[in-house]
Amino acid sequence: MANKHHTQTRTEPRRHSKESRNDVQDLLKRFAFVPLLLLTALLARYLLSPTPTTLTETVIPAPVLPNMAHQYSLPKLPYAYNALEPHISEQIMTLHHSKHHQTYVTNLNNALSSYTSALSTGNVPAQISLQQAIKFNGGGHINHSLFWANLCPASSPDATLAAAPKLGDAIKRTWGGEAQFKEAFETALLGIQGSGWGWLVKVENHTGERGRLAIVTTKDQDPVVGKGEVPVLGVDMWEHAYYLQYQNGKAAYVKNIWNIINWRTAEKRYLGGQDESWSVLKASM
Amino acid sequence: MSSKLLRSTPLRAAVRSTQSQSSRAGLAGTTFVRTKATLPDLSYDYGALEPAISGKIMELHHSKHHQTYVNSLNDASEKMEAAKSSNDVASQIALQPLINFHGGGHLNHTLFWENLTPKNQGGGEPPTGALSTAINDSYGSLDALKEKFNTALAGIQGSGWAWLVQDTQTGSVSIKTYANQDPVVGQFRPILGIDAWEHAYYLQYQNRKAEYFKAVWDVVNWKAAEKRFK
């Protein structure tokens, strides 16, 4: 830990050293923030860096200090707002994409730009207070970007598990069959208390080879990052994702969503690594 | 989806009286009786909070969402009793999040219905007396409290509630937010709660939740809040 502190202080830009006070207490306070700063640096590097990094690396490099944060933009849907009907209504898709997702993008850009200035002025308290906004809005942007791409019209040939031969085999091996997998996934989705997401993930093993599958849930907009998991398929369980059409009948939403899963996208994510999952995010920069 | 905006009060009353009779009969017949949670009746009609909250929202929120918390709480409580009687500690612990979530949902909604009232029955009329003084002490004015409360509501990331709470140690009031259905228990006493789950406003306000937070003050029952304040 002492080494990390040392490294960290050396990587601090000198820009603010003129203002820095030699007061020991002040320095101690500053040092106390360092572990959190390292976490923030990891997430910020991830979101700010033009090349997404793999999250399995154990060495945390010095934070990149770009002059300007990247501006993310709302990704276009690969289908029309009404293309998922009758399973998800046009009104839901319109609001969900053009309002909710747009708000996450706007707030992420604002948070990253504040974070960039907090980095350049060495304002550690501001950096820390921005972490949650980056996680929430960055998560919202990541999750929705993944979600749109893992849906498709029910009439599409991609909307059956046959479009994901390798993933389909792994699902059948893991859960005993497609029906058993869907049942387990539905149970996980319906067990979320409050807002959140259900994910089919590929857990990368230590050799970096294709790992096992698992179902995980994340709360609010927490993204699937930092645990060596690749999101293969996500389902939004926020009420805004279904309420105008299904109201309190979320079990029906969860049943119907299987009709519009884009299994070809899921197969690509399963066969690819982290980079494949994040390609949609890169495209929105 | 058809919607009945007005409840049939006589029918509900009949259902309730049947329920209470059967639980009294149960009391006489067994040595151990656990009272079941029941859905409380509203003291106003589903449409009575319009235009702040639509009748359709109130109907679903009360008769479906709250009812589900009640049913699931009873279900979890029954399992908890079974786990206790068989000394199954692992199951007792595994059931705790369900009791917190569904029990919290039942408590929160019960308090929420009470701290709302139609405009023509005093909704939105400012608090008086000791609560008013405590609000002014902490926030300067009722308007300042509302502004901070709305900021707290807007800042909830996901589902949850904002509450005006009273610190049982110091007696002072403050605004606190709670995730999901976490109830106000322990050091703090609930005075006034606003539901920030999307189901509380989405049919009427969709993504414009700030408008709901602004409008809801027109139907806040400060008299109910005063009664909770000690």
Side-chain angles (χ1 to χ4, degrees):
Chain A
M1 215 52 197
N3 273 343
K4 275 190 185 169
H5 285 182
H6 189 57
T7 310
Q8 187 56 40
T9 50
R10 282 204 315 193
T11 58
E12 285 287 311
R14 296 229 172 98
R15 267 166 263 174
H16 61 96
S17 62
K18 280 177 199 161
E19 295 168 20
S20 76
R21 286 149 285 176
N22 289 329
D23 174 347
V24 174
Q25 274 199 329
D26 185 52
L27 269 176
L28 281 175
K29 265 188 214 160
R30 201 171 282 228
F31 273 56
F33 291 134
V34 165
L36 274 171
L37 180 62
L38 287 171
L39 279 175
T40 309
L42 179 63
L43 187 56
R45 180 170 183 263
Y46 192 61
L47 287 164
L48 293 170
S49 152
T51 330
T53 56
T54 59
L55 290 165
T56 44
E57 57 190 4
T58 47
V59 178
I60 297 168
V64 177
L65 294 178
N67 295 324
M68 239 186 76
H70 287 281
Q71 292 287 299
Y72 289 91
S73 58
L74 185 66
K76 281 212 171 85
L77 288 190
Y79 39 75
Y81 283 138
N82 65 2
L84 305 183
E85 292 204 343
H87 307 296
I88 301 180
S89 74
E90 178 175 5
Q91 190 191 10
I92 289 178
M93 288 303 293
T94 307
L95 283 163
H96 201 171
H97 179 260
S98 74
K99 302 292 183 186
H100 290 279
H101 190 169
Q102 180 64 61
T103 303
Y104 291 116
V105 170
T106 305
N107 291 340
L108 172 64
N109 285 333
N110 291 344
L112 287 177
S113 130
S114 304
Y115 190 81
T116 305
S117 20
L119 274 179
S120 67
T121 56
N123 186 343
V124 178
Q127 290 167 36
I128 291 167
S129 72
L130 282 162
Q131 286 178 43
Q132 191 51 36
I134 293 174
K135 183 175 184 183
F136 182 67
N137 295 295
H141 178 42
I142 290 172
N143 292 339
H144 286 93
S145 299
L146 289 167
F147 183 52
W148 308 135
N150 70 224
L151 298 178
C152 67
S155 58
S156 162
D158 299 335
T160 79
L161 188 58
K166 293 249 162 54
L167 174 61
D169 284 350
I171 283 175
K172 285 166 196 157
R173 272 201 312 277
T174 308
W175 282 277
E178 182 182 351
Q180 289 92 325
F181 158 70
K182 286 181 175 174
E183 199 188 320
F185 200 82
E186 288 172 25
T187 303
L189 291 174
L190 296 175
I192 293 172
Q193 298 182 337
S195 302
W197 292 74
W199 298 94
L200 172 65
V201 299
K202 178 177 71 171
V203 186
E204 291 185 326
N205 66 22
H206 63 283
T207 62
E209 282 167 17
R210 195 179 307 150
R212 64 185 173 86
L213 291 172
I215 295 167
V216 299
T217 61
T218 53
K219 70 174 173 60
D220 304 327
Q221 293 298 356
D222 289 1
V224 178
V225 295
K227 290 180 181 170
E229 292 167 348
V230 177
V232 172
L233 174 68
V235 175
D236 190 347
M237 288 307 289
W238 279 59
E239 289 177 319
H240 67 233
Y242 61 82
Y243 205 82
L244 291 178
Q245 187 177 354
Y246 294 95
Q247 287 94 41
N248 61 304
K250 63 180 172 182
Y253 161 69
V254 160
K255 275 256 175 283
N256 285 348
I257 202 138
W258 294 119
N259 295 308
I260 49 171
I261 294 294
N262 188 332
W263 286 103
R264 199 162 66 93
T265 299
E267 176 86 342
K268 259 199 272 177
R269 291 179 189 159
Y270 175 66
L271 297 177
Q274 298 271 355
D275 284 1
E276 181 58 45
S277 291
W278 306 127
S279 61
V280 65
L281 190 66
K282 262 201 286 185
S284 78
M285 287 195 341
Chain B
M1 166 154 297
S2 74
S3 145
K4 242 188 339 167
L5 294 189
L6 294 174
R7 292 171 298 116
S8 152
T9 306
L11 178 66
R12 293 182 51 80
V15 169
R16 279 199 315 280
S17 79
T18 315
Q19 283 170 345
S20 64
Q21 272 163 14
S22 61
S23 76
R24 272 198 293 277
L27 247 176
T30 52
T31 49
F32 179 80
V33 166
R34 190 176 47 78
T35 315
K36 280 200 164 198
T38 54
L39 185 68
D41 213 355
L42 293 189
S43 64
Y44 41 81
D45 285 325
Y46 287 141
L49 303 184
E50 292 192 350
I53 305 176
S54 76
K56 179 83 186 282
I57 288 179
M58 287 302 294
E59 183 192 10
L60 282 163
H61 203 171
H62 178 258
S63 74
K64 302 291 183 188
H65 290 278
H66 190 169
Q67 183 68 62
T68 301
Y69 291 116
V70 167
N71 295 346
S72 305
L73 171 63
N74 285 330
D75 183 50
S77 300
E78 234 166 69
K79 287 178 180 152
M80 184 63 98
E81 289 305 329
K84 277 181 181 166
S85 65
S86 63
N87 252 336
D88 180 352
V89 178
S91 292
Q92 289 173 43
I93 293 168
L95 283 161
Q96 282 173 7
L98 290 175
I99 304 264
N100 181 70
F101 183 67
H102 297 293
H106 180 41
L107 287 180
N108 289 338
H109 285 94
T110 302
L111 292 165
F112 183 52
W113 310 135
E114 285 171 7
N115 70 221
L116 297 179
T117 195
K119 224 173 165 178
N120 62 13
Q121 287 171 41
E125 276 173 28
T128 54
L131 177 57
S132 172
T133 309
I135 287 171
N136 290 338
D137 283 352
S138 292
Y139 294 98
S141 69
L142 182 62
D143 282 345
L145 163 79
K146 287 181 188 174
E147 202 188 310
K148 290 217 163 55
F149 206 106
N150 285 357
T151 305
L153 282 164
I156 293 172
Q157 298 182 333
S159 301
W161 294 72
W163 289 90
L164 181 67
V165 300
Q166 184 179 19
D167 189 326
T168 56
Q169 293 170 5
T170 67
S172 67
V173 294
S174 62
I175 298 161
K176 283 175 73 72
T177 59
Y178 290 75
N180 303 324
Q181 294 297 356
D182 287 355
V184 182
V185 294
Q187 185 186 342
F188 298 98
R189 178 181 296 131
I191 304 296
L192 170 73
I194 302 295
D195 191 346
W197 278 61
E198 289 175 321
H199 67 233
Y201 62 82
Y202 206 81
L203 290 182
Q204 186 177 356
Y205 296 95
Q206 290 93 42
N207 61 306
R208 306 178 314 279
K209 61 182 176 179
E211 291 177 26
Y212 158 67
F213 299 146
K214 196 160 175 278
V216 78
W217 295 104
D218 289 343
V219 291
V220 160
N221 185 350
W222 284 105
K223 285 274 164 288
E226 283 172 22
K227 281 185 201 152
R228 293 175 190 160
F229 183 78
K230 285 182 182 151

